[in-house]
Amino acid sequence: MQLAKKTIVVTGAGSGIGQQLSLQLLQRGANVAGIDINAATLDETGRLASSAPGEFKGFQADITDPNKVNSLPAEVLAHFGTVDGIINNAGIIQPFRRVLDLTIEDINRVMAVNFYGTLYLTKAFLPLLLARPEAHIANVSSMGGFLPVPGQTLYGAAKAAVKLFTEGLYAELKDTHVKVTVVFPGAVATNIMQNSGLNVPKADTAGASEFKPISPREAAGQILRAIEKDQFRVVIGRDARAMDKLYRLNPKYAADLIQRKMRSLLG
């Protein structure tokens, strides 16, 4: 997909990877409809975007509200006239607790933002995408969507649902002009913990210094290059690529390795 002059919807556009996706899309000459629940951070993205070739328009919305989400296509069309792609990037992690210790409210929130928000946005915009000569859907899953992380079991379940949802979309849309990409980032240096309302202690990562978090800028660049190449799947970060290979080779060994690295977070 050539991104210049396209209109792309980006969720979580106020910070982290979503902000970088927005800015880099604009630098490529695309227009961006940025969606975020936080109006202040959306305004910041708009300020940073002011000198870019493309146009940025922020839309404050809670993606867990299906009624609000269903109103967004008309709002975006009213401003830009077309929609050529969506990048479902918004996400939160769960409190670092065992499943037994999570509240139903914790569980519902992490599923609502990570999975249902992605589902609602896709359902709302898909009819518009199908009407375009070329279009793209990119959904951000996680390394935790294929690898079990203790203390993030429900987050992983939500991201695994995003994985299979996206792969199912790919199969359903294969004979259309809508291309589909599923994204698996590893550790990225974002403020996802703060955005999730959490203050999380550091895990015991001795021996893992080779796997440093990558920057949101680098992650966003890899996502956009995958969209331009119509890639089915992109794994981002040395940690995610290494664990992807290890999990394919020996799932139990990979699960045990992560358990040893992360168990200090559970007490």
Side-chain angles (χ1 to χ4, degrees), residues 2-242:
Q2 298 299 314
L3 292 168
K5 299 183 180 179
K6 300 294 197 305
T7 296
I8 309 296
V9 176
V10 178
T11 67
S15 62
I17 297 174
Q19 184 177 82
Q20 280 297 317
L21 284 168
S22 299
L23 297 177
Q24 292 183 41
L25 281 164
L26 294 164
Q27 288 296 331
R28 283 166 161 82
N31 298 317
V32 176
I35 298 172
D36 204 291
I37 197 170
N38 189 321
T41 58
L42 268 181
D43 289 344
E44 174 65 10
T45 300
R47 184 186 69 78
L48 294 171
S50 59
S51 61
E55 180 186 357
F56 179 84
K57 170 70 174 175
F59 296 85
Q60 183 185 16
D62 179 353
I63 61 170
T64 70
D65 179 348
N67 292 323
K68 177 58 181 175
V69 169
N70 286 337
S71 72
L72 285 171
E75 294 178 34
V76 175
L77 281 179
H79 186 83
F80 289 111
T82 60
V83 177
D84 302 287
I86 58 174
I87 306 177
N88 284 300
N89 161 76
I92 60 170
I93 61 173
Q94 69 173 73
F96 270 85
R97 299 175 191 152
R98 294 175 173 84
V99 172
L100 181 64
D101 300 321
L102 287 172
T103 67
I104 294 300
E105 290 74 20
D106 290 334
I107 293 168
N108 287 342
R109 181 168 179 257
V110 78
M111 292 298 296
V113 174
N114 293 302
F115 176 63
Y116 284 107
T118 295
L119 173 62
Y120 296 157
L121 258 293
T122 304
K123 284 274 290 178
F125 281 96
L126 185 54
L128 301 181
L129 300 182
L130 286 167
R132 301 298 294 158
E134 66 171 347
H136 206 105
I137 298 169
N139 291 337
V140 178
S141 179
S142 169
M143 180 172 71
F146 63 77
L147 178 73
V149 178
Q152 288 296 313
T153 298
L154 264 298
Y155 170 77
K159 288 300 191 178
V162 170
K163 170 190 180 292
L164 283 177
F165 170 61
T166 309
E167 292 170 349
L169 276 176
Y170 166 83
E172 291 183 5
L173 298 173
K174 186 171 175 59
D175 296 326
T176 75
H177 297 296
V178 182
K179 306 302 181 183
V180 179
T181 299
V182 60
V183 183
F184 300 98
V188 182
T190 70
N191 58 353
I192 190 172
M193 287 190 290
Q194 293 87 339
N195 289 344
S196 304
L198 304 177
N199 182 15
V200 181
K202 291 184 178 179
D204 177 12
T205 55
S209 59
E210 61 182 301
F211 296 138
K212 299 294 186 183
I214 67 171
S215 69
R217 182 176 181 274
E218 184 178 353
Q222 291 185 39
I223 292 169
L224 295 183
R225 287 191 292 275
I227 291 172
E228 289 170 330
K229 296 177 181 179
D230 292 335
Q231 283 182 232
F232 168 65
R233 185 177 192 266
V234 57
V235 182
I236 295 176
R238 291 179 63 195
D239 56 346
R241 291 193 295 272

